[in-house]
């Protein structure tokens, strides 16, 4: 029998009531998803994150007072079980790249088909990265440009332990969780990541994950 999927708790943050209503109805039609809250602005979103501790935050990048980027900046997501998927109406929005650098794990265009949104939610919940096809090239190009000053080296330089850490980073685990899985300290994980970044010429975790997937450094499940 297939493994039963756990219920995914979702918080929706968007300032358009009609969009939130349609999104909630779509999500509630899935038997593995529960909408635990709706926020109409960033301040409500931040309060609800602490109250509900959702698995997934669907975060509109364009909201009044504070935008989605400020939410990503202000909230310590390392202290929450929440992974963020940003919602955007623009395919060429440079803020998407900034959002990914600030820790977002997925990007969904508001005009995407409903089945793609649900697929993205489930994939990010499982610890993977989700990029809308229209955004993938822009995000990867942005990370390539940021690393042009540092020459990447061959993947054979990675030790077995470093390869394990790359695999876990790509699956979305945080430093503390990686340490627990590998029976090493969080500081040791940080030291390994510093060495990995240096060897591969990448500058952050997301760039590492994209690079690892593109160069087949990890096993795809």
């Amino acid at each position: 029998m297939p493994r039963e999927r756990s219920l995914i708790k979702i918080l929706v943050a968007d300032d358009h009531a009609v969009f939130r209503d349609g999104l909630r109805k779509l999500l509630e039609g899935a038997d593995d998803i529960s909408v635990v809250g709706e926020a109409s602005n960033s301040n409500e979103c931040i309060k609800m994150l602490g109250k509900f501790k959702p698995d997934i935050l669907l975060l509109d990048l364009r909201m009044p007072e504070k935008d989605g980027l400020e939410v990503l900046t202000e909230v310590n997501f390392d202290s929450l079980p929440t992974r963020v998927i940003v919602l955007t109406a623009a395919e060429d929005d440079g803020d998407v790249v900034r959002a990914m650098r600030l820790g977002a794990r997925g990007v969904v265009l508001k005009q995407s088909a409903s089945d793609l949104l649900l697929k993205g939610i489930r994939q990010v919940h499982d610890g993977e990265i989700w990029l809308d096809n229209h955004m993938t090239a822009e995000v990867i190009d942005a990370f390539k440009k940021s690393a042009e000053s540092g020459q990447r080296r061959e993947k054979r330089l990675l030790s077995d332990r470093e390869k394990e850490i790359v695999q876990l980073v790509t699956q979305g685990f945080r430093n503390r969780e990686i340490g627990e899985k590998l029976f090493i300290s969080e500081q040791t994980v940080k030291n390994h990541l510093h060495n990995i970044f240096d060897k591969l010429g990448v500058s952050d975790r997301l760039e590492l994950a994209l690079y690892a997937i593109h160069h087949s450094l990890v096993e795809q499940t």
Side-chain angles (χ1 to χ4, degrees):
M1 295 181 62
R3 179 174 60 88
E4 186 177 349
R5 176 177 286 276
S6 60
L7 191 66
I8 305 172
K9 297 183 296 181
I10 291 185
L11 171 64
V12 177
D14 192 285
D15 62 311
H16 292 95
V18 173
F19 180 78
R20 288 199 315 273
D21 184 61
L23 189 55
R24 185 186 67 254
K25 290 177 180 177
L26 167 65
L27 297 174
E28 289 179 344
D31 57 11
D32 60 340
I33 289 175
S34 172
V35 178
V36 297
E38 296 179 39
S40 61
N41 57 60
S42 295
N43 289 328
E44 286 184 2
C45 174
I46 292 172
K47 290 178 182 178
M48 290 184 179
L49 279 170
K51 179 180 179 180
F52 296 117
K53 295 180 172 57
D55 299 308
I56 298 290
L57 167 62
L58 295 179
L59 177 64
D60 183 14
L61 284 184
R62 294 280 183 263
M63 289 191 289
E65 298 179 12
K66 296 179 182 178
D67 62 20
L69 292 173
E70 290 182 86
V71 174
L72 289 168
T73 301
E74 289 186 20
V75 177
N76 178 15
F77 283 96
D78 285 339
S79 65
L80 295 170
T82 309
R83 293 187 171 103
V84 181
I85 297 176
V86 296
L87 302 172
T88 179
E91 294 182 13
D92 59 349
D93 192 343
D95 284 345
V96 167
V97 175
R98 291 180 59 199
M100 297 296 283
R101 285 202 178 280
L102 289 170
R105 298 293 298 181
V107 179
V108 173
L109 293 174
K110 287 188 173 183
Q111 60 267 36
S112 293
S114 58
D115 58 331
L116 288 180
L117 173 61
L118 295 174
K119 183 178 180 181
I121 287 171
R122 292 169 179 138
Q123 188 161 320
V124 170
H125 182 252
D126 287 342
E128 300 178 39
I129 293 171
W130 175 266
L131 293 174
D132 188 286
N133 287 339
H134 296 286
M135 301 299 304
T136 303
E138 180 185 351
V139 173
I140 291 178
D141 285 347
F143 283 106
K144 282 181 180 178
K145 290 176 182 176
S146 70
E148 284 178 350
S149 59
Q151 185 175 0
R152 290 192 172 103
R153 304 170 191 176
E154 295 298 325
K155 61 184 179 182
R156 66 174 180 270
L157 292 179
L158 296 181
S159 68
D160 289 341
R161 174 63 84 193
E162 288 168 344
K163 290 175 182 177
E164 289 179 313
I165 290 174
V166 171
Q167 179 79 45
L168 293 170
V169 167
T170 305
Q171 291 173 358
F173 290 104
R174 298 176 173 92
N175 290 350
R176 177 181 53 79
E177 296 169 326
I178 293 173
E180 291 172 355
K181 285 183 172 294
L182 299 180
F183 302 103
I184 57 179
S185 71
E186 184 174 353
Q187 184 57 52
T188 300
V189 174
K190 291 178 181 178
N191 293 341
H192 279 304
L193 282 172
H194 176 79
N195 292 334
I196 293 167
F197 290 171
D198 181 61
K199 287 181 177 181
L200 298 181
V202 298
S203 57
D204 56 36
R205 298 169 70 91
L206 176 63
E207 190 177 352
L208 172 61
L210 292 172
Y211 179 83
I213 293 169
H214 180 70
H215 292 274
S216 303
L217 299 185
V218 294
E219 297 176 5
Q220 295 297 295
T221 56

